[in-house]
Amino acid sequence: RKENIPAEARDHIATFHHYFFTLSPDDKAIQANIKKALYLADASAKKQYDNLRENGYYANIISGNISQELIVDSIHVNIDHYPFHFRCKARQIITRATSIVTRSLVTEGLLRNIERSDNNSHGFLIEQWNTIENKDIKIENR
């Protein structure tokens, strides 16, 4: 495992972000992805999910037939200090009926080791997850 820590850490972070941010206008699909994401992170991710849900974010995705895809651009993990600090830079592609919005997303947090399981095959847990940037970079009319 020691040889593969950077690769496994980056894949864990990419997988979490994929499940948390790749959404379709289907409540069951959203719930399935969020459930998978929350196995990979601590209460900081659950808190962000709860805030989005309470603000009607997921309901708006469903009612507006909006789909959202995440493309990870880079993940930097510092394995010199434990728990491992990471920063993830990505783009969100949000497709609406009338437009396609590209957003810049930057998050950071810590990774700590936990026991591997069927729900968390890398054996990492994302902690203190925080969104640093989430802003529009391009809007295209459809």
Side-chain angles (χ1 to χ4, degrees):
R1 174 177 166 120
K2 286 187 179 183
E3 293 174 12
N4 293 325
I5 285 177
E8 286 195 45
R10 285 189 302 272
D11 190 59
H12 182 88
I13 294 160
T15 300
F16 166 77
H17 283 80
H18 168 80
Y19 286 133
F20 197 90
F21 290 104
T22 299
L23 304 170
S24 61
D26 178 321
D27 186 50
K28 287 184 181 180
I30 290 170
Q31 293 306 315
N33 274 5
I34 295 297
K35 181 179 177 181
K36 290 175 187 175
L38 294 180
Y39 277 116
L40 307 178
D42 73 354
S44 60
K46 176 76 164 86
K47 183 178 178 182
Q48 285 199 38
Y49 164 70
D50 288 343
N51 287 340
L52 290 168
R53 187 174 43 90
E54 288 172 14
N55 290 328
Y57 185 77
Y58 301 105
N60 289 339
I61 285 177
I62 294 165
S63 67
N65 286 318
I66 298 167
S67 60
Q68 183 174 292
E69 176 187 3
L70 187 83
I71 301 166
V72 173
D73 294 320
S74 67
I75 298 172
H76 298 285
V77 182
N78 180 355
I79 62 166
D80 295 333
H81 301 285
Y82 183 82
F84 310 130
H85 178 268
F86 73 85
R87 180 168 283 199
C88 177
K89 295 181 180 180
R91 285 170 287 137
Q92 293 173 280
I93 312 299
I94 302 167
T95 305
R96 297 183 171 106
T98 59
S99 66
I100 299 173
V101 178
T102 304
R103 296 182 63 87
S104 169
L105 176 71
V106 180
T107 69
E108 69 177 4
L110 301 174
L111 277 183
R112 76 172 164 93
N113 295 317
I114 62 169
E115 188 173 323
R116 293 175 190 248
S117 70
D118 288 343
N119 293 315
N120 188 332
S121 61
H122 294 108
F124 288 114
L125 189 71
I126 293 172
E127 298 182 315
Q128 299 176 29
W129 183 57
N130 187 35
T131 300
I132 297 170
E133 176 182 288
N134 191 355
K135 65 179 183 182
D136 292 354
I137 54 175
K138 182 170 76 171
I139 301 173
E140 300 173 54
N141 291 325
R142 293 183 73 196

